[in-house]
Amino acid sequence: MSDKYTRQDIVNSVPQKGFFGHPKGLFTLFTTEFWERFSYYGMRAILVYYMYYELSQGGLGLDQTVALSIMSIYGSLVYMSGIIGGWLADRIFGTSKAVFYGGILIMLGHIALAIPGSLPLFFVSMVLIVLGTGLLKPNVSSVVGEIYAENDNRRDAGFSIFYMGINLGAFLAPLIVGTVGMKVNFHLGFSIAAVGMFLGLVLFVATKKKNLGLAGTIVPNPLSPTEKSRTIKIFTIAAIIIAAVVYFGLEYGFLTFNSFIATVGIFGLLIPTAYFVVMYRSKKTTEVERSRILAYIPLFIASVMFWAIQEQGSTILAAYADTRTDLEFAGITISPAWFQSLNPLFIITLAPVFAWLWVRLGSRQPSVPQKFSLGLLFAGISFLVILLPAYFGGTETLVNPLWLVLSYLIVVLGELCLSPVGLSATTKLAPAAFSAQTMSLWFLSNAAAQAINAQLVKFYTVENEMMYFGLIGGASIVLSIILFLFAPTIQRYMRGVR
């Protein structure tokens, strides 16, 4: 925090009423994140189809397996980029500017997708959206925390309203962008995503001064002049090395889709491993905190397994919706992109039920490791469910769309057992000296999962789908049972954290 302003000064600069009894700044952040998620999930709902549809259908004509791998690597990079976005906000320009710059990059990325063009233009758009999301997504959440005093009992409810904005945007986008993109033109769909991000930026710029006050404008830990000089040198050298690798890689043919996917996959696993080693060996970490880090490792592995299944909802199950599902249902022609609205719809509907359930159970509710094991169990079952149509009817027959709906519903039950609990447990188990980095580590479990998915999706074919879903679903259930059996031991290592 700046020497010039205290935390209370920032809170006092924000009008504390004006949005459903919450600070006015929540309106600004809610609408910004709503439109950012609308643009992101709208784009994501049609992106995989754009990649593997033939040129005559308006797509890029990539091989379907390559398209699914790129989709996974793209998701992995989005979560990895959050580390850079958080660092830039903390050390250079503050969270408010990070949100603004991120929004501009995302909008430019969607505009690049909206222009009918070549494969290079497609990759330019991916780079812009990855960098933009890394800047915007982690930092807009941080600003939500800044507009409330630490002891403000509206804080949790404020975050609930904010996350409702995320899920509303994610729910509506595939229905609107998906319909236009699949039935009219992919590029028109991407244009709608760009307009969505533009509206979010306009609302952010128009209302931030009045509604957010000082929130997001303070650089918490600014670089000293010496650090600035060193950072510029490091970034310059890194940029030159990356440019050289790309140039020579393309020139001599060793930079291919497969080599790039493999490289990102390796980083997806190495970065979280390095985090664990550094935190555990640090002199700033106490004995109790080391014990908690050891307890966090099996939870992290469980999270990777869970997200590896959940994130295939936008890759393998998206392709399944397009090629294996009967899209004529009850007299309606369903767009395959619409299935991407199921996850946020079920979260909006069921999250209050789970919140009520945990409060109702009180001290009788499952421990953190037991909730994680339930998450893995539901994830595994969701994959076993989707193999049943092939078991009963073979792979030649189109599948009733309700099977997909059921699979998405079951994995959401797992998500509500694992995701909010994982966020909460991460804040409690984090060593004091690494609290911010540990939150980044939690998001890296998703990055690692999608890096693994980039390799897993290569094994999927319609002919072997029963084996594919069965092995991955079965592995998740086995890991769930192991985690449940070791839950008391893990709980002991958590040293009093419930």
Side-chain angles (χ1 to χ4, degrees), residues 8 12 27 29 37 41 85 109 131 187 191 194 310 400 409 463 474 476 481 486:
Q8 194 56 48
N12 290 342
F27 166 80
L29 301 169
R37 290 290 88 184
Y41 281 99
L131 294 175
H187 301 292
S191 298
Q310 196 273 357
N400 188 308
L409 171 62
E463 293 72 30
S476 184
I481 293 167
F486 281 92

Side-chain angles (χ1 to χ4, degrees), residues 290-313:
R290 282 196 180 90
S291 177
R292 288 174 176 167
I293 290 170
L294 292 175
Y296 192 68
I297 292 172
L299 300 181
F300 183 87
I301 293 168
S303 178
V304 171
M305 179 77 241
F306 174 81
W307 291 117
I309 289 177
Q310 196 273 357
E311 289 292 353
Q312 288 193 50

